[in-house]
Amino acid sequence: MSDAIIEIRNLCKSYRSDKGEVSALKEVSLSIAQHDIYGIIGLSGAGKSTLVRCMNLLEKPSSGQVIVNGNDLMTLSDRDLNLQRRRIGMIFQHFNLLMQRNVLDNVAFPLEIAGLRKKEARKKAYEYLQTVGLEEKAKAYPSQLSGGQKQRVAIARVLASSPEILLCDEATSALDPQTTKSILRLLKDINERYGITIVVITHEMAVVQEICSHVAVLDHGKLVESAATEELFRAPKTAEAKRLVFSGSEHILDMTSDRVVRIQFHGGSAYEPILGNIVLETKTPINILYADTQTVNGAAEGEMLIQLPEDEEKARRIVAYFEEKGLNPREVKDHVKSAGNPDDH
């Protein structure tokens, strides 16, 4: 039996516009495991937000299946669909708070809608404010809060509905980097504490790296690649994924060399003085043309482009050393061109 809580099968979504029919999603299929934090990433216009809105049928797909907890949402009656939607929470880029209600009453709102008496709803709402670290702001109004505080209120309000799934549509895009990190830590804590499956829609690689265990890459409405996050960052297979992962490598266009290898490191190897050791061993300087290190789920992931010495024996020893350390050295042909064309990486 599958442990998937969300299955998307051959999903298509088309719109009619003045210019004719526009395909926002094209035969997208993916599976999201229960309790996972799953990232969906792509550039603007890739179809990310359309896909996440199809997961609770805020957008009705043109064809395909959206299966949540074993139920095909496309076949449900309005009543049964509304019941399923109650188990799917959603937070947005711009918070969507009720400006005329204070923080406590914003969080209590879905509890009141569900039929809880006001006093009991406020009591539970206060508990969820404690979960997101905002109990001291209970009587404040949204206009008095920072962006990060508003998003915490929005998260508390969603938690009040006791969802099994939390959809985050660019939930950190309006926040500064430091606040983004704090919100991502909160989401990870919620995932671990409550076992809520979280789907993160983003165009920011740093968000995926920080909390997602799996990631799917969309491009012009198509799913082009999906993998465990570490695997994607270590060895992206498609040009679209490489373009996102290697987005910081344009500056090597200005560099030239005769023989270059690309090495990849991850986990503990990122912290070993590998280059220092090989320089000492071969007594040969190594020219680093490009280096990038990033943290993915608490582990270091990275790559380097290394210019090898002209001495063939020393170059051979350096490559052998990299192989011994499990760094997967691969010679890069015409590396100046490759920086501009991710297919060559």
Side-chain angles (χ1 to χ4, degrees), residues 106-127:
N106 259 279
V107 179
F109 184 67
L111 296 168
E112 294 172 22
I113 294 296
L116 231 60
R117 287 182 298 182
K118 193 167 187 177
K119 183 177 179 180
E120 185 64 23
R122 284 185 167 185
K123 181 182 177 183
K124 284 187 171 292
Y126 189 79
E127 292 172 3

Side-chain angles (χ1 to χ4, degrees), residues 191-205:
N191 168 258
E192 293 170 354
R193 186 187 306 188
Y194 297 104
I196 297 174
T197 303
I198 299 178
V199 180
V200 177
I201 302 298
T202 184
H203 64 275
E204 301 173 279
M205 296 302 290

Side-chain angles (χ1 to χ4, degrees), residues 12-14 53-54 57-63 74:
C12 297
K13 175 63 179 177
S14 297
R53 289 166 185 269
C54 284
L57 260 59
L58 285 180
E59 295 269 5
K60 188 172 181 180
S62 303
S63 63
M74 297 280 282

Side-chain angles (χ1 to χ4, degrees), residues 7-26:
E7 291 186 70
I8 305 296
R9 298 178 182 172
N10 303 316
L11 203 69
C12 297
K13 175 63 179 177
S14 297
Y15 298 96
R16 293 199 177 277
S17 70
D18 295 339
K19 298 179 181 179
E21 191 169 79
V22 177
S23 293
L25 297 174
K26 306 168 186 175

Side-chain angles (χ1 to χ4, degrees), residues 225-256:
E225 188 165 349
S226 62
T229 303
E230 292 89 344
E231 180 184 340
L232 182 86
F233 278 84
R234 191 176 303 143
K237 297 179 178 63
T238 62
E240 294 83 2
K242 290 174 182 177
R243 190 173 295 115
L244 291 167
V245 173
F246 301 129
S247 60
S249 62
E250 290 85 354
H251 62 275
I252 66 173
L253 286 165
D254 300 326
M255 303 178 182
T256 58

Side-chain angles (χ1 to χ4, degrees), residues 303-320:
E303 64 156 355
M304 287 185 182
L305 292 183
I306 303 293
Q307 181 182 8
L308 297 175
E310 292 184 3
D311 186 301
E312 181 59 33
E313 176 59 23
K314 289 182 178 180
R316 187 195 62 76
R317 288 175 62 192
I318 289 171
V319 171

